[in-house]
Amino acid sequence: MTAVAATLRQSWIITLRDLKHWQREPWTPVFSVLFSVMLVLMFGYLLGGAITIPGGGDYLPYLLPGIFALSMMFGIEATMTAVANDTKKGVTDRFRALPISGAAVPLGRAGADLLNSAVELTVLLVGGVLIGWRATGGVGGTLLAVALLLWFRFAMLVIGVFLGLTIRGEGGVTAVQVLVWPAGFLSNAFVAPESMPAWLGLVAEWSPLSATAAACRQLFGNPTGASGGFVADNAVLLAVLWPAVLVAVFTPLTARAYRRLAR
Amino acid sequence: MPAPPLTARGLHKRYGETTALDGFDLEVEAGAVHALLGPNGAGKSTAVGVFATLTRCDAGEVRVAGHDVRRDAVAVRAAIGLVGQGTALDEVLHGRENLVMFGRLHGMARQAARERADELLEAFGLADAADRKVSTYSGGMRRRLDIAAGLIRRPALLFLDEPTTGLDPRARNEVWQAVREIVAAGTTVLLTTQYLDEADQLADRVTVIDHGRVVAEGSPGGLKRRMGGDRVLVTAPLGVDVEALASSLGGVAEPGLRQVVVEAGPEGGAAAVTAVVRALDTEGVVVDDILLRRPTLDEVFLSLTGTGPTTEAGVPVPGASRPAELHPATEGGRS
C-alpha cells in the first residue's frame, strides 16, 4: 500500500469513528440544524418585516443564503470542541503514539465534519424550499453555490482544528462560542452592509462570511441587497479566494500546533 | 541477540524554568516489569512521553526495540503500546469498537482486528460489556479496556503510566491481575507509579526517580535490603519490665509503646523470631504480641527522596513522615 493510500485508509477509519458519534449522540447535529431553523424563524418572521433590502426584493430569500453561510461558519465550534475534547482526554496522544500518518487524524476529522455539514446544508435547503425560498439560478449555479458553502466550511474546519489544538480550558471554548456572534452579525448575513454606518459597512462587506453569502445569493438568483461595487461584482471570486487565504494561513499554523504537542 | 526493549541515555528535558528530566538513564530488560517509581512531578510521565515519541527531549538518546525515537518514530510506534494517564478511550464508542478502531489504525485487517478485540475482551473480563458505550464503564473496566487497547498489536513493550491512580482498591487489584497476565504472556512492561506497594507487588526491577534523575535502582527486595534487615517487635503486657525484657532479648526498649525491637541478624527474620520465642520461653514471659517487621519500600522511598508517599490527591499521607514503626498504614499497605 502506498503512503497516500495508507493515509486515506487511516483517515477513513477516524472519519467513521467521528460519524459514529453523531449516530450515537444525534442531539449535537440536530440542535445545530434546529438552531439555524430558529434563526430563520426569528429573523425571517419576527424581525424581517421591519427590514428592507436595498434594491428591493423580499427579505426571506435574502436571509436564507446568509443563514446557509452562517451555519457553515458555526461549524467551527463543532470542530473545535471535538478536537479540544480529544486532546484533553488523551485520545489525540493515543493517536499520536500509533504508527499512522500525522495527517490522518485531522483529515479524518475533516471528512466527518464535511459530511455532517453537507447533511445539515441539505436539510436547510429543503427546509428553505418548504417555506417558499427558491433557487432560480439554474442547476449549475445552485451546485456551485453549494460547493462554495462547503469550501467555506472547510476553511472554518481548518481554523476549528487549530483552535481545538491551541485553546486550553473551558474559558477558551466559551470565548469562541461568544465571539462567533459579532463575527456573524458583522457581515451581510442578516442585513445589507449598505444599511450600516459607512466604515462598519465596509468591514462587514469584506468579511469572508459576506463573500460566501453574496456569492450564494447571486448564484441562487436571490436578492443581493447590494447596488454594485467591487465586492458585489466579484462575489464568487471572493468566495473562492477568502477560504483559500484562510486555509493557506491556518494549515501551517495547525501543523505547527500539532507538532507543538510534542514539546 | 535481539535489541533490548528500551535503553535511554542522558535524557534532558526542560519546560521553561522547570527541569523535568535531568540526565536520566534507563535500561529495561525483556520479559520483565520495570517500575519507574517517584513522587508527583518527578519526571515519570515526561520520560514515558519521550519513550513513546510523544515528547521531544532536549538532549539524550532513546532506543526502543532498537529504533531511535527521533529518527525512526514510526517504527517505535509500531513496537509499543501506550496506556497514558487517564483513560484515552472514545467514550461514545462501545468497548469492542474502540479496540477494533485501534487495531485497524495499527494496520490490521477488519476481521483480524475483530478477532483480536474479542480475544482481549475475553482475557480482560470485558466480554459482557463489549457492546456497551465506554461511558457506562466503571473506572476499573475503563482502565482494563485502556490496557487492552495498548496490547491490540502485541507490542514488544507496553507503557503503563500510573495505571491505578484514581482507582478504588478492588479496581486496582483487577488492574494488577491484568498486568500479571500480560507479563506471563511475555510482554515487557514499563510501569510508572507513585505507589510503593504497586512497585513492590508487580515489578521485577524498580528505578526510583526524583527531580528527573535516577536516585536508586534494583530489585524491590534489593532496595529493601539497603534499608537494613528485618525487625522483631515484641509487645509486653502491663506489669512486665520492658527494659529488663529488652536486655534479655538483646533488643532495644520502647517503653512508651511497651515494645521491644530486636534487629534480625544476617540469618534473617524467621531465625530472629525463633530466637525471641526461645528466649521468652526460657524467661517464662508471656507477651501480648510478636510481629516480624520487614522494611517496606515506603521507607526506602522516604530515605532516598526525602519525600513521603502521597495520596491520590498529591497530599502527604497523614503520619507518613512519622517513624515507620509508628505507622500502621505501611504495615497493612499490601492488599
Side-chain angles (χ1 to χ4, degrees), chain B residues 228-292:
Chain B
D230 300 348
R231 291 167 196 159
V232 183
L233 308 185
V234 180
T235 308
L238 285 168
V240 171
D241 183 350
V242 179
E243 301 282 352
L245 184 65
S247 66
S248 64
L249 296 178
V252 179
E254 299 260 11
L257 291 172
R258 307 206 51 76
Q259 210 168 51
V260 174
V261 181
V262 182
E263 299 277 346
E267 61 280 359
V273 173
T274 314
V276 164
V277 171
R278 277 210 192 103
L280 289 172
D281 199 32
T282 313
E283 299 282 321
V285 180
V286 179
V287 294
D288 281 357
D289 194 19
I290 303 176
L291 188 67
L292 174 60

Side-chain angles (χ1 to χ4, degrees), chain A residues 55-73:
Chain A
D58 287 339
Y59 182 58
L60 208 60
Y62 174 85
L63 174 68
L64 277 168
I67 297 291
F68 300 152
L70 199 66
S71 74
M72 296 296 106
M73 192 182 83

Side-chain angles (χ1 to χ4, degrees), chain A residues 9-10 13-14 17 20-21 24-25 89-91 93-100 259 261-263, chain B residues 13 15 54-56 77 82 87-90 92-94 97 101-102 104-106 108 146 149-150:
Chain A
R9 174 184 174 276
Q10 292 152 5
I13 293 167
I14 290 168
R17 170 235 173 188
K20 206 156 248 166
H21 277 230
R24 293 272 156 76
E25 294 182 345
K89 290 199 173 137
V91 177
D93 274 350
R94 177 156 243 161
F95 284 141
R96 289 174 61 230
L98 291 174
I100 59 173
R259 279 197 305 274
L261 292 176
R263 290 216 309 168
Chain B
K13 177 71 184 174
Y15 291 103
L54 294 181
T55 307
R56 267 190 307 273
R77 289 172 194 156
L82 172 67
T87 39
L89 295 164
D90 191 311
V92 179
L93 296 191
H94 298 164
E97 288 168 341
M101 174 180 72
F102 287 119
R104 306 248 306 129
L105 287 172
H106 262 289
M108 297 168 83
D146 211 5

Side-chain angles (χ1 to χ4, degrees), chain B residues 71-82:
Chain B
R71 281 189 293 276
D72 215 353
V74 174
V76 170
R77 289 172 194 156
I80 62 167
L82 172 67

Side-chain angles (χ1 to χ4, degrees), chain A residues 164-209:
Chain A
L165 287 175
T166 45
I167 279 179
R168 297 271 176 270
E170 292 298 315
V173 173
T174 309
V176 173
Q177 284 168 344
V178 170
L179 286 174
V180 291
W181 282 103
F185 280 110
L186 189 57
S187 75
N188 65 18
F190 295 103
V191 296
E194 286 183 19
S195 67
M196 303 175 188
W199 63 274
L200 204 57
L202 192 71
V203 177
E205 193 180 13
W206 277 92
S207 105
L209 173 62

Side-chain angles (χ1 to χ4, degrees), chain B:
Chain B
M1 197 178 115
L6 187 140
T7 52
R9 299 250 177 282
L11 297 192
H12 285 268
K13 177 71 184 174
R14 289 180 69 85
Y15 291 103
E17 293 291 291
T18 317
T19 302
L21 293 174
D22 190 12
F24 182 72
D25 299 318
L26 187 67
E27 186 131 355
V28 176
E29 283 170 26
V33 178
H34 196 123
L36 209 51
L37 175 65
N40 272 333
K44 304 186 296 290
S45 293
T46 305
V48 168
V50 170
F51 300 156
T53 76
L54 294 181
T55 307
R56 267 190 307 273
C57 59
D58 302 331
E61 194 197 55
V62 182
R63 299 186 82 82
V64 175
H67 307 289
D68 186 286
V69 290
R70 280 201 259 204
R71 281 189 293 276
D72 215 353
V74 174
V76 170
R77 289 172 194 156
I80 62 167
L82 172 67
V83 181
Q85 267 181 50
T87 39
L89 295 164
D90 191 311
E91 300 265 313
V92 179
L93 296 191
H94 298 164
R96 178 185 283 117
E97 288 168 341
N98 264 286
L99 295 185
V100 171
M101 174 180 72
F102 287 119
R104 306 248 306 129
L105 287 172
H106 262 289
M108 297 168 83
R110 193 188 301 270
Q111 191 54 34
R114 279 193 190 141
E115 281 164 15
R116 177 67 177 148
D118 286 341
E119 203 178 300
L120 286 166
L121 289 163
E122 190 66 46
F124 284 89
L126 293 166
D128 292 340
D131 295 313
R132 268 167 43 196
K133 279 187 199 174
V134 172
S135 56
T136 68
Y137 282 25
S138 71
M141 290 165 77
R142 273 168 209 235
R143 198 42 74 93
R144 278 180 284 149
L145 184 66
D146 211 5
I147 296 172
L151 289 169
I152 193 87
R153 199 68 206 274
R154 293 190 175 84
L157 176 60
L158 179 70
F159 297 108
L160 297 174
D161 195 3
E162 303 205 1
T164 61
T165 299
L167 295 186
D168 62 36
R170 186 184 151 179
R172 187 185 58 177
N173 281 333
E174 290 170 0
V175 169
W176 282 358
Q177 193 51 40
V179 173
R180 291 190 185 105
E181 281 161 20
I182 292 164
V183 181
T187 303
T188 306
V189 173
L190 178 65
L191 160 101
T192 76
T193 182
Q194 45 179 318
Y195 301 129
L196 312 143
D197 54 333
E198 186 157 279
D200 203 6
Q201 285 277 335
L202 295 175
D204 303 296
R205 206 163 173 77
V206 179
T207 297
V208 183
I209 175 174
D210 198 28
H211 300 296
R213 270 190 299 260
V214 174
V215 291
E217 188 164 294
S219 65
L223 286 175
K224 282 191 265 181
R225 270 195 296 281
R226 281 201 210 174
M227 290 304 297
D230 300 348
R231 291 167 196 159
V232 183
L233 308 185
V234 180
T235 308
L238 285 168
V240 171
D241 183 350
V242 179
E243 301 282 352
L245 184 65
S247 66
S248 64
L249 296 178
V252 179
E254 299 260 11
L257 291 172
R258 307 206 51 76
Q259 210 168 51
V260 174
V261 181
V262 182
E263 299 277 346
E267 61 280 359
V273 173
T274 314
V276 164
V277 171
R278 277 210 192 103
L280 289 172
D281 199 32
T282 313
E283 299 282 321
V285 180
V286 179
V287 294
D288 281 357
D289 194 19
I290 303 176
L291 188 67
L292 174 60
R293 177 86 169 67
R294 305 204 132 101
T296 64
L297 272 176
D298 294 71
E299 291 157 353
V300 180
F301 195 69
L302 199 64
S303 73
L304 288 171
T305 66
T307 345
T310 52
T311 62
E312 281 155 27
V315 291
V317 175
S321 58
R322 284 188 283 148
E325 286 83 358
L326 303 179
H327 184 206
T330 49
E331 204 68 53
R334 299 190 197 181
S335 49

